[in-house]
Amino acid sequence: MQEPLNTAQMKQILEAALLTAGQPLSLDELLRPFDGRMERATLRMLLDELKADWQQRSMELVQVASGWRFQARPEFSLYLSRISPERQQRYSRAAMETLAIIAYRQPVTRGDIEEIRGVAVNPNIMRQLIERNWIDVVGQRDVPGRPSLYATTKTFLDDLNLRSLSELPAMENFSQQDILFEPPQPE
Amino acid sequence: MQTQLAIDVRIYGEQLDTIPQDLYIPPDALEVYLEAFEGPLDLLLYLIRKHNLDILDIPMAELTRQYMDYVEKMRATKLELAADYLLMSAMLIEIKSRMLLPKPADIEQEDDPRAELVRRLMEYEAIKLAAQRLDEMPQVGQEIVVAHAYFEQIAVAGPPGISFEDLVAAWQSVLQRASHFQHHRVGRAELSVREHMSLVLRRLQRDSMVEFMDLFDVVNDGLPKLVVYFLAILELAREGLIKITQQASFSPIYLQAQER
């Protein structure tokens, strides 16, 4: 082995690891190739440098919930989609509403979801979201029947290019005026 | 596309004689029209937004009647969905009836019975918008393409080596077993390490893999011969003519001819 390594070599090792991973790599995973000879602060600095190095290239280095990954710059996605037309399925409106309730109101039970949407939860939708590993059961609410509490996963954040739930688009807060509510006139 | 409605639908006194143009509805399928909505809250919200209805001014009786029409038509095919609409009808009827009841002056002003419905509609609308925004976000598997360069993981080839200590332990075990069969022998045997190297190699040619212990005939060979065998094995290993391997600690040690 040709250790110790210089900064350029360390960056290349990180680059090779990230390009071949196919999924986000956490800081711990990225430290592993260096066998305890790298500080976390150094790693962060190198990742920032690497990110800057790729600024003018076809791929970009991004940080998502599970770690760091290279992905194609968004402007190429249309062209890339023509290579493999079979894509991950888009979900129905009912599924997206269910997902939104879980994402913004988590942890929630099926009952909570039904209360907000006003319709029974379709078990297929829950299964779809669990199979995609976007939601999972994080516990049971301590009420009769002990219903499962659902929450979104790190994979959900990764797949939407987010680092944390706080990066979700802000939820609209409708005031009562938006629904043309006027206080009842005193008689 | 304007499609004539098969049934009489009235919203806020106005006859709704065409299907809204922002929905695709086959002319004869009311069920499909309803399936465009994600439930009674969604339908109610649509009616309010589309027609700028004041929720406090909704003609509850008329809306309830329409809901009941939907429920009747759905009962045959979509009983579960009908149940949800029926529940909404019940809620609307309750609101209407509470509003119709006279309020005795000495009773404290109670909450507007419509407030709960308004709260639910607002919460539902917020979630609906949030769902739309989530759906518009780029996703891995759709717009986001993750780097996945090819990297062939090359496994380190060949069986694991063996430590010096394990080989010594194995040899000592041979000696120990031999000590049980010691007897005196008269005469001098011509012993040569080289000769035994050939013997070992020949054996390895015949049986491609031989267990270390099997090479030694502790019952019949005297100690000197065993020593020569061991030296032969060490010499063969040193010259790279054989491979000595052990899969795990304390597992059998094997000898193999080194492939050229």
Side-chain angles (χ1 to χ4, degrees), chain B residues 132-193:
Chain B
Q132 275 171 23
R133 291 195 187 137
L134 276 188
D135 201 35
E136 285 158 9
M137 288 173 70
Q139 288 175 17
V140 168
Q142 300 261 3
E143 297 84 3
I144 299 175
V145 188
V146 173
H148 198 170
Y150 183 67
F151 169 56
E152 192 178 52
Q153 202 95 31
I154 300 163
V156 178
I162 177 178
S163 78
F164 177 67
E165 288 76 14
D166 286 345
L167 197 57
V168 169
W171 167 241
Q172 276 165 351
S173 138
V174 168
L175 287 185
Q176 207 195 346
R177 281 163 66 189
S179 67
H180 298 310
F181 301 100
Q182 249 178 13
H183 43 213
H184 296 283
R185 195 177 277 239
V186 185
R188 216 184 99 197
E190 282 297 326
L191 298 173
S192 126
V193 170

Side-chain angles (χ1 to χ4, degrees), chain A residues 19 22 59 70-72 77 87-88 90 93-94 97 105 115-117 159 170 172 174-175 178 180 182, chain B residues 36 38 41-42 49 53-54 56 120 122-124 126 128-129 133 135 139-143 145 147 149:
Chain A
L19 282 171
M59 309 291 285
F70 271 109
Q71 61 190 38
S77 74
R87 329 232 70 201
Q88 192 54 256
R90 278 264 178 214
R93 242 183 72 198
E97 287 183 14
R105 297 276 184 256
E115 163 72 19
I116 295 175
R117 295 194 57 234
D159 284 359
E172 206 96 15
F174 291 98
S175 62
D178 286 323
L180 299 172
E182 275 158 33
Chain B
E38 292 298 336
L41 276 180
D42 196 24
R49 285 277 176 250
L53 293 186
D54 179 345
L56 292 184
R120 288 190 62 186
M122 289 192 304
E123 168 139 50
Y124 179 68
K128 230 180 95 154
L129 267 171
R133 291 195 187 137
D135 201 35
Q139 288 175 17
V140 168
Q142 300 261 3
E143 297 84 3
V145 188

Side-chain angles (χ1 to χ4, degrees), chain B residues 76-90:
Chain B
T77 50
K78 298 236 166 210
L79 199 57
E80 329 84 57
L81 198 57
D84 295 322
Y85 281 88
L86 199 56
L87 186 67
M88 175 57 74
S89 309

Side-chain angles (χ1 to χ4, degrees), chain A residues 54-179:
Chain A
W54 279 75
Q55 214 103 67
Q56 303 302 319
R57 309 288 307 276
S58 61
M59 309 291 285
E60 59 184 347
L61 182 57
V62 297
Q63 192 185 359
V64 291
S66 304
W68 294 71
R69 75 173 172 222
F70 271 109
Q71 61 190 38
R73 293 197 170 276
E75 57 262 40
F76 304 123
S77 74
L78 169 68
Y79 304 98
L80 295 174
S81 73
R82 293 179 183 151
I83 299 173
S84 49
E86 74 280 2
R87 329 232 70 201
Q88 192 54 256
Q89 66 177 122
R90 278 264 178 214
Y91 293 123
S92 66
R93 242 183 72 198
M96 289 312 290
E97 287 183 14
T98 305
L99 180 64
I101 292 169
I102 298 171
Y104 285 89
R105 297 276 184 256
Q106 61 189 298
V108 291
T109 64
R110 288 171 66 125
D112 298 334
I113 299 168
E114 292 179 351
E115 163 72 19
I116 295 175
R117 295 194 57 234
V119 279
V121 168
N122 180 342
N124 284 331
I125 288 177
M126 299 303 279
R127 204 169 45 233
Q128 268 184 333
L129 295 174
I130 289 172
E131 274 170 12
R132 182 81 182 268
N133 195 20
W134 274 6
I135 63 167
D136 62 0
V137 174
V138 292
Q140 275 87 34
R141 184 169 290 163
D142 205 7
V143 294
R146 300 184 55 77
S148 297
L149 284 166
Y150 295 92
T152 52
T153 62
K154 267 191 178 180
T155 307
F156 164 74
L157 294 174
D158 291 346
D159 284 359
L160 267 69
N161 224 14
L162 302 172
R163 273 177 292 185
S164 77
L165 282 169
S166 62
E167 292 185 348
L168 279 173
M171 192 152 159
E172 206 96 15
N173 267 322
F174 291 98
S175 62
Q176 299 202 319
Q177 279 72 28
D178 286 323
I179 299 232

